[in-house]
Amino acid sequence: MPRIRLTLAYDGTHFAGWQVQPGQRTVQGVLERALAPLLMRRGVPAPPPRVHGSGRTDSGVHAVGQVAHVDVPEHRRGFPWQKALNATLPPDVRVVAAAEVGNDFHARFSARSKTYAYTLWIDPAYVLPQRARYVWQCGPLDLDAMDRAAALLLGEHDFAAFRNTGTNTESTIRTLYRIDRSTGLHPAECVLRFCASGFLKQMVRNLTGCLVAVGRGKAGPENIRSYLEEGDRSAAPATAPAQGLCLEWVEYPEAPAQGGHGDEHQMGPDRSPAPH
Amino acid sequence: MPRIRLTLAYDGTHFAGWQVQPGQRTVQGVLERALAPLLMRRGVPAPPPRVHGSGRTDSGVHAVGQVAHVDVPEHRRGFPWQKALNATLPPDVRVVAAAEVGNDFHARFSARSKTYAYTLWIDPAYVLPQRARYVWQCGPLDLDAMDRAAALLLGEHDFAAFRNTGTNTESTIRTLYRIDRSTGLHPAECVLRFCASGFLKQMVRNLTGCLVAVGRGKAGPENIRSYLEEGDRSAAPATAPAQGLCLEWVEYPEAPAQGGHGDEHQMGPDRSPAPH
């Protein structure tokens, strides 16, 4: 069966996250429902499609470059997936690109790195209405202190203190390649961009919560070191809210195959595919 | 009575424009309702306040730098207007700055220039969900042809062909200082930024509709010249939709007085106050 790689953008505000859940509106669920009628042949329903994402995003988290793959019937080879899906999907989820890939491509297991952006709004007096759904209003921050703290988080660490409790027992070691800070669309926006080999559950939101605590003078470099050493989630600062987070980019070893609108646009200044 | 200058941002999606209209949700109406209880003294209602805007914005048009003024009772001198109004206004309208100004300041009559941005989305395959409420998806455009056409519109002209019919008979001569084109937040966004001494009703949307017609090869420089010369609205291309338009900046001869959060942030790359 041909395998299709989909690059997806969504506004997470009205989604209960990526993963299918009974009775909830999820991105994966909406995609699978939009795909089902496109896989039929002469009106005969195909088995329900399964869309595999590069990873889950939490309820309320946005994406401009989520990647997923789906296997489709042979008779649908060459089908205009982007156009057909965008014609039926709701406007808060869009197919940015679609291309046939080899069957060795796996949206989750082939991923080499991911880049998330977290947008803070540092003006305490107001949030621009046009940006309110995409930022966390957290007031003035000591940005230099945050930069120094971010440097301590880079590299390979056991990020157990930054993983939400209640998840499974896989390794909590990850490599954080970069944390870049930049000004966003508006001067009151401070964007923290995280690139890592992979992220644990709520890891970006927990790292952001920690850096904001540093920016508010509630934690210092010595705290960062002890969070990493002790691995105790309950000792580290609170999780940042979901709405400031956006999955920007998933990097794979190879460029997507021909047969689609293959160039992927990124929001924000950093468009390089990334790690070293 | 002290006069307060308000700088306002709003998401126009759910407003029937700026101006108060019976039975409609308007920015002016929402502001006046939020102000009324703040003007009372010992529970005695004050006369309903009148908020004067720098100009009307149409239904669906956004703003990041609309300016208005309102006169308030003497006992409210020094009141924290920004904080108090933002505490009661709905989140789709925000006070970006508030400052007491002299009684010779008038939001409309003192304005020296205005800058509007119109955002086009030039990728025909999709619109990013996070940007869908703020752009007009118009597909690929010949941007060089649009730049050449824009140059013909600059300067002092009779813009009667770009004024919506049915308005009053004031002069239709305006001076267009600049039309700048830039890439927006996302590479698929093409932002046209118009700065003029003043704008006629729907003039920016009509100019944008005209430039998009040029970008689509439906009009050329000779058409621009004849629209300006003949002054016939019905001969010029159709009005661009409201949602792509944003009032960015209103310039006044003097800086706002002390007593407020006086620096005004702008979206987009051009933050200079402007005309020559």
Side-chain angles (χ1 to χ4, degrees), chain A residues 9-11 62-64 82 86 91-92 94-96 123 125-130 134 185-187 261 265-267, chain B residues 9-11 62-64 82 86 91-92 94-96 123 125-130 134 185-187 261 265-267:
Chain A
Y10 43 89
D11 181 322
H62 315 288
V64 295
Q82 183 184 27
N86 282 343
D92 55 351
R94 294 285 95 186
V95 177
V96 173
D123 190 322
Y126 77 105
V127 176
L128 200 67
Q130 293 87 331
Y134 309 111
L185 172 62
H186 187 281
H261 180 81
H265 299 307
Q266 296 293 299
M267 308 259 294
Chain B
Y10 43 89
D11 182 322
H62 315 287
V64 296
Q82 183 184 28
N86 283 343
D92 55 353
R94 294 284 94 185
V95 177
V96 173
D123 189 322
Y126 77 105
V127 176
L128 199 67
Q130 292 88 331
Y134 310 110
L185 174 61
H186 187 281
H261 180 80
H265 299 306
Q266 295 294 299
M267 309 260 292

Side-chain angles (χ1 to χ4, degrees), chain B:
Chain B
M1 292 171 84
R3 179 161 291 185
I4 307 300
R5 170 187 156 144
L6 300 171
T7 306
L8 303 161
Y10 43 89
D11 182 322
T13 310
H14 301 300
F15 284 108
W18 168 264
Q19 192 179 30
V20 165
Q21 289 178 73
Q24 300 277 341
R25 183 176 188 262
T26 69
V27 181
Q28 189 186 27
V30 160
L31 272 167
E32 292 178 352
R33 262 199 308 285
L35 271 163
L38 302 177
L39 305 184
M40 289 196 298
R41 186 168 203 176
R42 300 194 190 102
V44 179
R50 171 82 338 175
V51 173
H52 298 266
S54 74
R56 305 168 190 174
T57 50
D58 295 337
S59 180
V61 172
H62 315 287
V64 296
Q66 170 70 293
V67 175
H69 77 261
V70 59
D71 291 331
V72 299
E74 192 59 43
H75 75 277
R76 281 295 190 226
R77 200 181 283 276
F79 189 73
W81 295 105
Q82 183 184 28
K83 190 169 184 181
L85 283 167
N86 283 343
T88 58
L89 283 167
D92 55 353
V93 53
R94 294 284 94 185
V95 177
V96 173
E100 190 176 332
V101 288
N103 285 81
D104 55 342
F105 175 87
H106 191 288
R108 182 171 167 207
F109 300 122
S110 306
R112 196 158 72 177
S113 74
K114 284 188 187 175
T115 303
Y116 278 92
Y118 197 103
T119 305
L120 307 170
W121 184 272
I122 59 177
D123 189 322
Y126 77 105
V127 176
L128 199 67
Q130 292 88 331
R131 300 292 299 149
R133 304 209 289 185
Y134 310 110
V135 302
W136 174 25
Q137 185 180 18
C138 57
L141 298 169
D142 181 341
L143 300 174
D144 291 334
M146 291 167 67
D147 288 345
R148 288 191 297 272
L152 299 174
L153 294 163
L154 295 183
E156 188 180 270
H157 295 285
D158 183 337
F159 286 99
F162 299 98
R163 178 184 66 161
N164 232 51
T165 50
T167 49
N168 55 24
T169 54
E170 53 172 338
S171 165
T172 51
I173 293 174
R174 294 289 184 278
T175 303
L176 195 49
Y177 298 116
R178 287 205 316 271
I179 305 177
D180 294 329
R181 179 172 62 77
S182 59
T183 301
L185 174 61
H186 187 281
E189 290 181 22
C190 168
V191 181
L192 301 175
R193 197 167 267 113
F194 301 80
C195 177
S197 58
F199 290 94
L200 302 164
K201 186 168 164 62
Q202 301 198 334
M203 178 170 153
V204 183
R205 292 167 58 191
N206 290 332
L207 290 171
T208 300
C210 174
L211 291 173
V212 166
V214 170
R216 288 171 169 165
K218 310 272 187 197
E222 65 292 351
N223 300 106
I224 302 281
R225 287 189 199 97
S226 79
Y227 301 148
L228 287 171
E229 276 163 30
E230 291 168 25
D232 178 4
R233 174 73 208 118
S234 66
T239 309
Q243 65 181 41
L245 187 59
C246 181
L247 172 54
E248 286 199 331
W249 177 266
V250 188
E251 193 208 9
Y252 295 93
E254 297 157 64
Q258 80 303 335
H261 180 80
D263 56 315
E264 288 154 57
H265 299 306
Q266 295 294 299
M267 309 260 292
D270 180 6
R271 286 159 202 164
S272 70
H276 313 292

Side-chain angles (χ1 to χ4, degrees), chain A residues 166-189:
Chain A
T167 48
N168 56 23
T169 55
E170 55 172 338
S171 166
T172 50
I173 292 174
R174 294 290 184 279
T175 303
L176 196 49
Y177 298 117
R178 285 204 318 269
I179 305 177
D180 294 328
R181 179 171 63 79
S182 59
T183 300
L185 172 62
H186 187 281
E189 289 182 22

